[in-house]
Amino acid sequence: MKNTVLSKLRNLDAYPKVNEDFFTRSLSGGIITLVSSLAILLLVFSEFRLYLHTITETKLLVDTSRGETFRINFDVTFPEIPCSILSVDAMDISGEQHLDIKHDIIKERINTNGDVIESKPDGIGAPKIEKPLQRHGGRLEQNETYCGSCFGAEQSDDDCCNSCEEVRDAYRRKGWAMTNVDLIDQCKREGFFERIKEQEGEGCNVRGSLEVNRVAGNFHFAPGKTFHQSNIFFDDLMSVHKDSYNISHRINRLAFGEYFPGVVNPLDGGHWTHETSNGMYQYFIKVVPTIYTDIRGRTVNSNQYSVTEHFKDLEYISPNSQPGVFFYYDFSPIKVTFKEEHSSFLHFITNICAVIGGIIIPLNYIFLLECQIFVRRSVILSYYVRICIV
């Protein structure tokens, strides 16, 4: 019984053995063996490198996120606009507005050669003066709390404006323009007008970030501290107003969200030179939400974007239009996901087997053909030997 089972298993052998009497080793066979072994090693090493190398899988999904915020990171240089009159404003279609933003923003004064003169966070507090003008009209007395006048822009009887910036904010809320800065005690004490004159001819590098709602909106860099009234923007620096502003600018960096491998920000390093009269330079940006997951499972929620550009000469449009550089952004309804991953181990083993089999099988076929030829020659030689003996 046992012999019968073994005999059946022996008949299932798909690799029958050839008698050693029919083996013969040759120089060509040795060369073929050496070359095939090197080829196998090379291909196996290549497959192993591919197995270790990460691949990035890309998917497109419908963006269903709502009620989120995102961060805009920027670094822009204006060679011809001083920091004292350059403001950053942001607003969106939900009605939220942020005018003359100072939080998380740093301004660097630069000279005509592009060298940094001074670098500090935006916003300058009032200097300490022993007896500033009080709201009631008299000077600050000993042990008296300072409460400066808003010069008619108070919203309630308890409002105080203790710095030039607070007076200007109160004027903006009222929709008034500050036409006589030198008559305002706080601005006079802070040397507001002198500071603007001192920085005349300088440039400004402004960098930082904005936290905004994840809806369509815009942010812009404009000369003059702006306020909003009846959907029209005005300049409150009427006492230092110029007929035109040189809005030449260079975008060192503009990113909507965190960095992730492979991201390309098309506006990085871009620049535009002012060649005509006063105008608005506009960037229309389509933001594509992006999720990047690396091989370790760390996820980065960020964005990519595409952009088109347009310049509007203020000479031919509404006289209330404001000069500056405007970035209008809107979101794509499609979200892109990138995920790093390795190919599976079974896929790697399958490729290794395919490499080895793809080289060994043709060689075995050639070997079998040689064996058949050798056997036929041996049979023919044995036949002639028998004839000769007879």
Side-chain angles (χ1 to χ4, degrees), residues 111-289:
N111 58 24
T112 54
N113 298 322
D115 301 322
V116 177
I117 301 173
E118 182 183 27
S119 176
K120 58 183 176 181
D122 195 12
I124 302 175
K128 292 183 178 179
I129 303 297
E130 290 185 1
K131 291 187 177 182
L133 185 65
Q134 284 284 63
R135 176 182 168 189
H136 53 65
R139 292 292 172 178
L140 180 66
E141 300 295 338
Q142 189 175 6
N143 299 325
E144 184 181 8
T145 302
Y146 176 51
C147 178
S149 172
C150 296
F151 299 90
E154 298 90 347
Q155 291 184 332
S156 67
D157 294 338
D158 298 328
D159 283 351
C160 298
C161 295
N162 296 338
S163 67
C164 182
E165 193 66 36
E166 291 181 2
V167 176
R168 296 167 66 200
D169 288 340
Y171 269 56
R172 277 195 291 271
R173 289 193 294 268
K174 285 285 188 178
W176 299 350
M178 293 177 62
T179 57
N180 296 307
V181 179
D182 283 345
L183 299 180
I184 297 175
D185 183 65
Q186 293 89 328
C187 297
K188 187 176 181 179
R189 286 190 290 107
E190 294 178 19
F192 174 76
F193 189 77
E194 289 76 8
R195 187 167 66 247
I196 293 177
K197 286 295 186 182
E198 178 189 353
Q199 296 184 15
E200 191 171 354
E202 294 180 358
C204 185
N205 173 261
V206 55
R207 68 178 186 272
S209 60
L210 303 173
E211 189 79 21
V212 297
N213 296 322
R214 201 179 185 86
V215 295
N218 81 83
F219 67 98
H220 58 265
F221 303 87
K225 309 299 182 180
T226 58
F227 65 86
H228 184 268
Q229 183 180 22
S230 301
N231 297 321
I232 301 175
F233 289 88
F234 301 87
D235 195 327
D236 74 348
L237 297 178
M238 300 303 295
S239 58
V240 292
H241 181 71
K242 298 194 301 184
D243 292 335
S244 64
Y245 293 95
N246 188 330
I247 59 171
S248 298
H249 60 278
R250 180 175 66 255
I251 302 176
N252 305 307
R253 179 171 182 260
L254 179 64
F256 291 80
E258 299 181 42
Y259 169 83
F260 62 89
V263 64
V264 177
N265 298 317
L267 286 179
D268 286 2
H271 65 277
W272 183 82
T273 302
H274 178 97
E275 297 177 351
T276 62
S277 59
N278 219 17
M280 299 171 58
Y281 202 85
Q282 301 170 313
Y283 294 94
F284 298 93
I285 298 172
K286 178 66 73 173
V287 181
V288 181

Side-chain angles (χ1 to χ4, degrees), residues 29-40:
I31 294 175
I32 292 175
T33 302
L34 180 62
V35 171
S36 62
S37 299
L38 292 175
I40 290 174

Side-chain angles (χ1 to χ4, degrees), residues 376-390:
R376 290 174 182 175
R377 288 178 179 176
S378 299
V379 171
I380 294 172
L381 180 60
S382 174
Y383 175 75
Y384 281 114
V385 169
R386 289 179 181 177
I387 292 177
C388 292
I389 293 175
V390 173

Side-chain angles (χ1 to χ4, degrees), residues 37-53:
S37 299
L38 292 175
I40 290 174
L41 288 176
L42 178 63
L43 293 176
V44 168
F45 179 73
S46 176
E47 287 293 334
F48 184 69
R49 287 188 60 187
L50 290 175
Y51 172 69
L52 295 180
H53 182 70

Side-chain angles (χ1 to χ4, degrees), residues 45-72:
F45 179 73
S46 176
E47 287 293 334
F48 184 69
R49 287 188 60 187
L50 290 175
Y51 172 69
L52 295 180
H53 182 70
T54 58
I55 58 176
T56 302
E57 182 183 0
T58 304
K59 290 183 179 179
L60 298 178
L61 306 172
V62 176
D63 185 16
T64 58
S65 58
R66 295 291 183 272
E68 299 179 357
T69 62
F70 74 107
R71 186 170 292 272
I72 303 174

